[in-house]
Amino acid sequence: MKNIAVIGAGTMGNGIAHVFAQQNFKVCLIDISQEALNKGLATITKNLDRLIEKEKISVETKNSTLQNILTFTSIEEGVKNCDLVVEAATENIELKLKIFKQLDEFAPDNTILASNTSSISITKIASVTKRPEKVIGMHFMNPVPIMKLVEIINGYNTSKEVTETIMKLSEALQKVPVAVNDYPGFVANRILMPMLNEAIETLYNGVAGVYEIDTVMKLGMAHPMGPLQLADFIGLDVCLSILNVLYDGFKNPKYAPCPLLINMVQAGKLGVKSGEGFYDYSQSKKAEIISKQFK
């Protein structure tokens, strides 16, 4: 397995392409526009330069990594010779189902189809293909080049052979794969999102302010980042989407998103990506708040 396609050149997609290419896999990075692809490549280049500055890779490794990536604006062209496709599009079920129908049509019959979804059912995604046994979840953590975990999600029909292949492949990326089963939120977000939601509820109820809540969790619970800052980093719209998946899947009120979170998303306060969430991410403050994270 040497030829990999990655669908989506955004934050997760370019990170996934980066780690595959750095380990000498041939990567086809696919997005709907060349502008998005150029932006993704610029991010990869910037992250490789950071690794050079930290003396973790050589200039030669940077050059070979970039040479291993080809870009495409056509799914049909990008996946036609791939052994594995990793979909990293927006966390929207209709979009993912549409993409997987196309992947099933255009990718070779033996190609494994993986989704980087953080909450959507792999079994449901697989149901729109004619190869459900070859559909699996590969949930990378952000930032992909640094975070070690890959949550491997088995759909109802995912074959044991495919799971073993993806586990070994993740190890070849110098990641730590953990296999889980297909239930809403899997493990990572089933535990994380209620915690973030509770932090938002704590703020909403006036128990403490943003700084105080995050400081308690960082200094008292040894979290590297406070829950409200982490929610900003993930994207408040993404947090809301995942909580809705959990709530719809379990019908349990403990997963119902906080009204403050709903209002902030409706107001366009999405966190880092919009420049404001629980924190102000204007350029002067952004460096102070984020620059030291995950260094």
Side-chain angles (χ1 to χ4, degrees), residues 231-232 234-241 261 264-265 269-271 277-278:
D232 276 354
I234 294 168
L236 301 190
D237 54 336
V238 176
C239 293
L240 178 59
S241 175
L261 174 62
M264 291 180 71
V265 172
K269 311 297 185 184
L270 308 181
F278 295 106

Side-chain angles (χ1 to χ4, degrees), residues 176-288:
V176 178
V178 177
V180 306
N181 291 320
D182 187 20
Y183 291 92
F186 318 131
V187 171
N189 281 316
R190 182 171 178 172
I191 295 170
L192 175 63
M193 286 300 154
M195 185 193 77
L196 300 189
N197 197 45
E198 192 64 28
I200 299 168
E201 285 277 2
T202 303
L203 177 66
Y204 180 59
N205 292 332
V207 178
V210 171
Y211 172 80
E212 289 77 14
I213 291 167
D214 277 358
T215 300
V216 166
M217 296 306 290
K218 285 192 286 186
L219 300 185
M221 310 304 167
H223 290 196
M225 185 185 288
L228 299 176
Q229 185 182 354
L230 179 56
D232 276 354
F233 186 78
I234 294 168
L236 301 190
D237 54 336
V238 176
C239 293
L240 178 59
S241 175
I242 296 170
L243 283 165
N244 282 330
V245 168
L246 290 168
Y247 185 58
D248 291 343
F250 291 115
K251 303 295 189 276
N252 188 323
K254 75 177 181 179
Y255 298 114
C258 176
L260 175 59
L261 174 62
I262 295 171
N263 280 344
M264 291 180 71
V265 172
Q266 289 177 339
K269 311 297 185 184
L270 308 181
V272 175
K273 69 174 77 174
S274 69
E276 185 180 351
F278 295 106
Y279 292 86
D280 178 0
Y281 296 94
S282 61
Q283 288 304 311
S284 59
K285 292 181 179 288
K286 189 173 181 181
E288 176 187 348

Side-chain angles (χ1 to χ4, degrees), residues 42-228:
T43 299
I44 294 170
T45 302
K46 182 178 176 182
N47 289 335
L48 289 167
D49 286 337
R50 282 191 186 135
L51 293 173
I52 292 172
E53 288 173 12
K54 296 176 185 178
E55 300 182 347
K56 291 187 176 181
I57 65 169
S58 65
V59 173
E60 290 74 19
T61 297
K62 171 192 169 180
N63 292 336
S64 65
T65 299
L66 293 173
Q67 288 169 4
N68 283 333
I69 302 173
L70 296 176
T71 61
F72 295 85
T73 55
S74 162
I75 286 180
E76 182 175 4
E77 287 300 312
V79 305
K80 64 182 180 181
N81 295 314
C82 288
D83 305 304
L84 167 70
V85 181
V86 182
E87 170 272 318
T90 304
E91 194 74 350
N92 176 290
I93 189 165
E94 287 79 17
L95 176 60
K96 290 185 186 294
L97 295 181
K98 178 182 177 182
I99 288 171
F100 270 79
K101 286 178 182 177
Q102 292 178 295
L103 295 178
D104 192 46
E105 178 181 357
F106 296 128
D109 292 341
N110 64 337
T111 301
I112 295 172
L113 307 180
S115 176
N116 181 60
T117 179
S118 56
S119 62
I120 296 169
S121 169
I122 298 301
T123 303
K124 184 161 188 172
I125 290 172
S127 70
V128 301
T129 76
K130 298 181 182 67
R131 61 181 95 187
E133 74 286 352
K134 290 185 171 65
V135 179
I136 195 165
M138 287 186 80
H139 179 204
F140 290 84
M141 304 294 129
N142 185 28
V144 180
I146 295 170
M147 300 293 278
K148 289 294 186 183
L149 176 67
V150 183
E151 194 177 28
I152 307 298
I153 304 102
N154 291 308
Y156 188 83
N157 291 305
T158 305
S159 73
K160 183 178 179 181
E161 293 73 21
V162 165
T163 302
E164 290 173 351
T165 297
I166 296 303
M167 294 284 282
K168 290 177 182 176
L169 181 67
S170 300
E171 290 172 352
L173 298 177
Q174 300 182 6
K175 302 295 185 184
V176 178
V178 177
V180 306
N181 291 320
D182 187 20
Y183 291 92
F186 318 131
V187 171
N189 281 316
R190 182 171 178 172
I191 295 170
L192 175 63
M193 286 300 154
M195 185 193 77
L196 300 189
N197 197 45
E198 192 64 28
I200 299 168
E201 285 277 2
T202 303
L203 177 66
Y204 180 59
N205 292 332
V207 178
V210 171
Y211 172 80
E212 289 77 14
I213 291 167
D214 277 358
T215 300
V216 166
M217 296 306 290
K218 285 192 286 186
L219 300 185
M221 310 304 167
H223 290 196
M225 185 185 288
L228 299 176

